[in-house]
Amino acid sequence: MMNDALQYAQQHQARFQAQLHELIRIPSISTLSQHNEDMRRAAEWLVADLLHSGFERVEVMPTGGHPVVYGEWLGAGMDAPTVLIYGHYDVQPAALEDGWSSAPFEPFIKEDYIYGRGAVDNKGQIVAQLKAVEALLASPNKAPVNFKFLIEGEEEISSVHLAQFVRDHAAMLQADVCVISDTGMRDVETPQLCYSLRGLVYMELHVYGPSDDLHSGTGHTIHNPAQALAEIIVKLHEPDGRIAAPGFYDDVQTLDPAERALLNEDALTEAYWLEQTGAPMTWGEPEFTLVERMGIRPTLEVNGMVSGFYGEGSKTVIPAKAMAKLSCRLVANQKAERVYQQVRDYIIQITPPGVRSELKLLSSGEAAYTDPQHPSIQAAIAAYEKGWGKKPTLYRGGGTIPIVADIQQILGLPVVLLGLGVGDGVHGPDERYHLEAFRRGIDTAIYFYDEIAHSHQHTANGA
């Protein structure tokens, strides 16, 4: 069965690539209302593809915003495991004037990469999953597991309606494991498997002073809100990079030496990171390695600041207000609401008496974790070894995919982040996806579903 599927995938690789081009050409930008019809077209493209593969039930299902595409094939039978595959068909905005070398929704191939908005985030990876399943269903004995697809259209706008959709359709979405291919690898020869994601608290800090902007000749008579904002921001961290808010680290788990050693098998060197970032030096808690700072430690970052006059030329004012965007990345056991309250209370404490501050919570998502010893993670490791030819490096991701924690909490499923993304330009110009990763990704997914079937059978036999 598996060999038949792998052969099918090899024979149809050119068509698979052409289909990815088709989907990239649809500008499914979820945040811009003028692309609502394109969102519908992308959803209908996915429906047609699932029906072509032989899915028994396929629907475009409404949410409070853009629709969800749901597909179901249960032909493996009641005794076989069921896999829920999640992905998203929406993309970030893209225009030639953003710095693209060519039209962002006209994909083209250059030096083993496919270029186009959504190529790696997430159309390339979800198409790899779709084609792996197609190959399995085209085999004489069909697939060894049951499949359910949940493909949303709002991931790039924080999945605002998906958690409620999952709650409302929990019975329909029941499975044994959830698989998400929306993470990446450092390069095409280095498979990496993420088993943890950080949570997120996104906030807006407002500092208010006088009722209106004042002539700067009145300076040093009132506290300047822009300066007060700077004073607050300076106090958010200790000199060594630790976050100064009382209680911030109370819920942070101390990792055992074995897992720290596992994480540090990924030898992310300072030289490599400085080359990648273009920064003059690294910064942060010195007792933790770069890999650990990105995965097992929480953060508090300033994402942007604005105050007063910042246009061309000069305008001498004392601004009436100042604003900063702040975000925290959370690790396992930390809760978003509690962290927001800790930061809010600390900012109240350090706000200078001559101004008033307000911290608004804009959005949040919880951290997610799957034990690397879980059978589904072990199945993924085995699949990467076969599909990529080497064992993957395991890591804790620094980013956030809110639906991962929602699926864990609402459906009670282990989540495997079967990342197939090798490329760059995600959310920026000239987004691209390595075609060899696309090919290996299809094979790895095929191997993974075979491993899941054998793991389930092994457990059912009581071994």
Side-chain angles (χ1 to χ4, degrees):
M1 177 192 305
M2 186 175 59
N3 289 335
D4 291 331
L6 293 168
Q7 185 177 13
Y8 179 95
Q10 182 179 6
Q11 292 171 346
H12 292 81
Q13 192 64 216
R15 174 171 64 83
F16 293 170
Q17 185 177 310
Q19 288 181 290
L20 175 54
H21 284 222
E22 289 177 12
L23 188 56
I24 291 173
R25 287 192 182 99
I26 303 174
S28 47
I29 304 170
S30 53
T31 195
L32 301 178
S33 59
Q34 62 263 39
H35 288 281
N36 285 353
E37 181 54 35
D38 294 318
M39 294 295 294
R40 171 63 62 171
R41 285 201 298 133
E44 290 173 350
W45 188 98
L46 292 165
V47 166
D49 192 68
L50 286 165
L51 289 172
H52 173 266
S53 294
F55 270 61
E56 301 151 343
R57 174 187 174 185
V58 185
E59 297 181 50
V60 176
M61 303 184 72
T63 71
H66 297 299
V68 159
V69 174
Y70 176 73
E72 182 179 282
W73 183 86
L74 305 179
M78 294 180 60
D79 294 333
T82 298
V83 180
L84 174 66
I85 304 171
Y86 163 87
H88 64 93
Y89 63 88
D90 64 321
V91 299
Q92 287 281 339
L96 195 60
E97 55 267 28
D98 296 336
W100 284 77
S101 301
S102 62
F105 294 101
E106 285 298 328
F108 69 94
I109 305 298
K110 180 182 177 182
E111 296 177 351
D112 298 323
Y113 284 91
I114 177 172
Y115 285 76
R117 172 57 86 224
V120 67
D121 182 26
N122 178 240
K123 291 180 177 179
Q125 297 194 64
I126 195 62
V127 169
Q129 284 285 357
L130 287 164
K131 299 301 104 178
V133 173
E134 177 186 323
L136 283 164
L137 295 185
S139 301
N141 295 320
K142 302 297 183 182
V145 300
N146 299 305
F147 292 109
K148 295 179 179 181
F149 270 95
L150 172 66
I151 311 175
E152 70 156 322
E154 295 186 330
E155 196 273 347
E156 300 294 2
I157 51 174
S158 301
S159 301
V160 286
H161 298 100
L162 191 60
Q164 189 58 52
F165 180 91
V166 172
R167 290 187 191 96
D168 293 342
H169 299 87
M172 177 185 79
L173 297 171
Q174 276 303 314
D176 294 284
V177 62
C178 176
V179 176
I180 298 177
S181 294
D182 198 11
T183 50
M185 305 178 192
R186 195 170 301 161
D187 59 68
V188 75
E189 299 303 331
T190 310
Q192 293 178 287
L193 174 58
C194 178
Y195 64 92
S196 176
L197 289 168
R198 292 193 289 193
L200 177 68
V201 176
Y202 198 84
M203 301 161 285
E204 238 177 40
L205 171 58
H206 294 262
V207 177
Y208 304 98
S211 56
D212 296 293
D213 289 357
L214 301 178
H215 190 290
S216 66
T218 63
H220 286 215
T221 61
I222 62 155
H223 205 141
N224 185 319
Q227 179 177 328
L229 174 63
E231 292 169 0
I232 292 169
I233 288 173
V234 165
K235 293 179 180 179
L236 293 178
H237 294 87
E238 304 290 355
D240 67 354
R242 283 181 62 86
I243 296 157
F248 190 89
Y249 294 97
D250 286 354
D251 298 324
V252 175
Q253 289 180 321
T254 300
L255 258 64
D256 63 73
E259 186 173 356
R260 288 189 74 172
L262 179 70
L263 285 173
N264 283 290
E265 288 179 2
D266 179 5
L268 178 60
T269 66
E270 183 171 317
Y272 172 86
W273 191 235
L274 293 180
E275 179 185 353
Q276 293 297 305
T277 61
M281 62 180 293
T282 59
W283 183 85
E285 300 171 276
E287 65 269 36
F288 294 96
T289 66
L290 291 175
V291 167
E292 291 169 347
R293 290 179 220 170
M294 292 182 189
I296 69 171
R297 300 298 290 168
T299 69
L300 198 168
E301 296 293 340
V302 180
N303 304 122
M305 296 181 288
V306 64
S307 183
F309 177 74
Y310 46 89
E312 184 178 356
S314 61
K315 181 182 181 184
T316 53
V317 296
I318 295 173
K321 56 188 177 182
M323 185 271 283
K325 301 276 191 177
L326 306 177
S327 66
C328 293
R329 296 288 178 171
L330 315 181
V331 295
N333 273 23
Q334 285 188 300
K335 298 299 178 186
E337 181 64 28
R338 175 170 162 80
V339 166
Y340 161 68
Q341 292 170 359
Q342 289 168 337
V343 176
R344 179 200 61 194
D345 293 348
Y346 179 58
I347 286 176
I348 291 172
Q349 175 188 329
I350 62 176
T351 298
V355 297
R356 177 175 63 88
S357 68
E358 179 184 13
L359 187 67
K360 299 178 180 180
L361 177 62
L362 300 187
S363 62
S364 64
E366 304 295 348
Y369 171 85
T370 301
D371 187 337
Q373 299 305 317
H374 191 279
S376 62
I377 298 292
Q378 293 300 307
I381 292 171
Y384 276 118
E385 285 191 85
K386 294 175 180 177
W388 244 267
K390 64 173 68 173
K391 187 176 180 180
T393 298
L394 271 64
Y395 73 101
R396 286 182 175 238
T400 306
I401 305 176
I403 192 57
V404 176
D406 291 333
I407 287 172
Q408 288 179 328
Q409 292 166 8
I410 299 168
L411 301 180
L413 299 182
V415 176
V416 177
L417 297 167
L418 197 76
L420 310 174
V422 180
D424 46 36
V426 174
H427 292 196
D430 286 351
E431 180 178 350
R432 62 180 188 166
Y433 185 26
H434 204 294
L435 289 174
E436 181 63 13
F438 180 59
R439 185 192 68 78
R440 292 183 188 182
I442 294 170
D443 288 353
T444 298
I446 291 170
Y447 284 123
F448 176 73
Y449 299 123
D450 186 67
E451 292 287 342
I452 285 290
H454 282 101
S455 174
H456 182 82
Q457 186 178 28
H458 194 67
T459 303
N461 290 336

